């Protein structure tokens, strides 16, 4: 069956360092992958999209990589700030199918 | 209002009650979605509507009944729910589902449902 794993339930990173979150998948061939941010009591907010034929995408302090051979996406936040603390979700898309990971709770420690 | 709105934000109901969740999008999108988010579990896609037509039903029990009267409004009718149905129910919209590469989902704030 199709499966997505996000590296850990929670991740603590010191302010100013780079936070790296992992999204691994099996038994799936996504056309593209998205990363979302979710704050407590709110719906997810779209951050970045990367297509199957792209290796890397950047947006301000965010960087996403996509390795279809390893079936893995990495999500990086550089120069992390306490305001970056949230849960981050990856989502895989192909045709009408959308599959979300459980998310990783990121805590940026001041 | 802008974006995607959901009402009510919180709902407590008994197993014999009938209630409805409402979602409205002000983005001019053609596709709308219902998701269920339970603690410790991934976001689960329940229903997809494209141009008011249901295109996806991920084996959702019949005690959940969606309705999409137009492309701006989406309802989820609830009846004879079980305690395990307690969760955050999220509505989302997008320009269209399918292979659109820029199919960003815009989520509402969700309805926190508790079934007693």
């Amino acid at each position: 069956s199709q499966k997505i794993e996000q590296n850990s339930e929670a991740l603590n990173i010191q302010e100013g360092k780079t936070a790296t979150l992992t999204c691994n998948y099996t038994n799936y061939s996504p056309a593209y992958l998205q990363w979302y941010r979710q704050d407590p009591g709110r719906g997810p907010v779209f951050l970045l999209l990367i297509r199957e034929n792209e290796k890397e995408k950047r947006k301000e302090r965010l960087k996403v990589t996509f390795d279809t051979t390893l079936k893995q996406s990495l999500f990086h936040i550089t120069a992390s700030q306490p305001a970056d603390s949230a849960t981050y979700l990856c989502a895989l898309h192909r045709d009408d199918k959308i599959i979300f990971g459980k998310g990783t709770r990121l805590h940026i420690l001041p | 209002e802008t974006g995607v709105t959901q009402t009510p934000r919180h709902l407590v109901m008994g197993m014999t009650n009938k209630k409805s969740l409402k979602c409205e999008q002000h983005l001019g999108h053609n596709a709308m979605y219902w998701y269920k988010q339970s603690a410790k579990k991934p976001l689960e896609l329940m229903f997809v509507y494209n141009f008011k037509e249901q295109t996806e039903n991920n084996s959702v029990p019949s005690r959940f009944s969606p309705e999409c009267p137009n492309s701006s409004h989406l309802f989820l009718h609830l009846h004879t729910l079980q305690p395990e149905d307690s969760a955050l129910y999220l509505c989302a919209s997008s320009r269209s589902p399918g292979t659109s590469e820029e199919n960003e989902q815009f989520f509402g704030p969700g309805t926190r449902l508790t079934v007693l």
Side-chain angles (χ1 to χ4, degrees):
Chain A
S1 63
Q2 301 155 352
K3 192 176 177 183
I4 301 179
E5 285 187 4
Q6 292 195 237
N7 54 326
S8 57
E9 276 196 34
L11 189 63
N12 294 327
I13 299 292
Q14 201 66 44
E15 182 179 4
K17 302 292 185 183
T18 295
T20 298
L21 284 66
T22 305
C23 178
N24 295 299
Y25 59 93
T26 56
N27 299 323
Y28 203 64
S29 296
Y32 59 96
L33 184 149
Q34 295 176 333
W35 283 89
Y36 288 81
R37 168 183 173 142
Q38 187 173 20
D39 292 285
R42 307 184 79 165
V45 174
F46 171 79
L47 296 175
L48 278 171
L49 174 149
I50 187 163
R51 301 176 183 84
E52 61 181 335
N53 60 350
E54 296 177 318
K55 295 291 185 186
E56 182 179 300
K57 196 68 105 35
R58 291 176 185 260
K59 180 182 177 182
E60 296 173 353
R61 295 185 294 111
L62 308 180
K63 185 177 85 171
V64 171
T65 63
F66 195 11
D67 189 326
T68 54
T69 302
L70 290 179
K71 295 187 182 294
Q72 180 182 78
S73 175
L74 299 179
F75 176 79
H76 306 272
I77 305 175
T78 58
S80 58
Q81 304 166 0
D84 295 325
S85 299
T87 296
Y88 291 86
L89 309 173
C90 68
L92 307 182
H93 295 250
R94 177 165 287 279
D95 300 325
D96 285 357
K97 302 294 184 185
I98 307 166
I99 305 174
F100 278 84
K102 288 183 185 180
T104 296
R105 277 183 291 109
L106 177 65
H107 301 281
I108 305 299
L109 308 173
Chain B
E1 289 199 63
T2 58
V4 180
T5 58
Q6 289 186 243
T7 55
R9 292 295 307 276
H10 300 272
L11 178 62
V12 179
M13 60 187 288
M15 289 190 285
T16 58
N17 291 158
K18 289 185 180 181
K19 296 286 184 183
S20 295
L21 309 184
K22 180 182 175 183
C23 175
E24 185 173 358
Q25 59 98 358
H26 309 268
L27 301 168
H29 289 165
N30 297 313
M32 296 188 76
Y33 310 77
W34 277 117
Y35 288 89
K36 176 183 179 182
Q37 189 172 40
S38 305
K40 308 286 187 182
K41 293 178 74 174
L43 209 57
E44 299 171 58
L45 179 63
M46 300 173 71
F47 301 103
V48 180
Y49 277 83
N50 186 23
F51 290 97
K52 302 186 299 177
E53 299 296 321
Q54 184 174 309
T55 59
E56 188 79 19
N57 175 348
N58 280 346
S59 304
V60 180
S62 59
R63 57 186 184 269
F64 294 92
S65 174
E67 179 190 358
C68 189
N70 55 63
S71 57
S72 297
H73 293 86
L74 186 64
F75 295 90
L76 187 62
H77 303 299
L78 315 171
H79 63 97
T80 60
L81 293 192
Q82 305 298 312
E84 59 263 30
D85 296 322
S86 298
L88 181 68
Y89 288 85
L90 289 159
C91 173
S93 71
S94 67
R95 283 198 296 275
S96 66
T99 57
S100 170
E101 292 183 341
E102 304 297 332
N103 193 14
E104 172 185 344
Q105 304 242 323
F106 290 78
F107 285 84
T111 295
R112 174 67 62 185
L113 175 66
T114 303
V115 181
L116 302 176

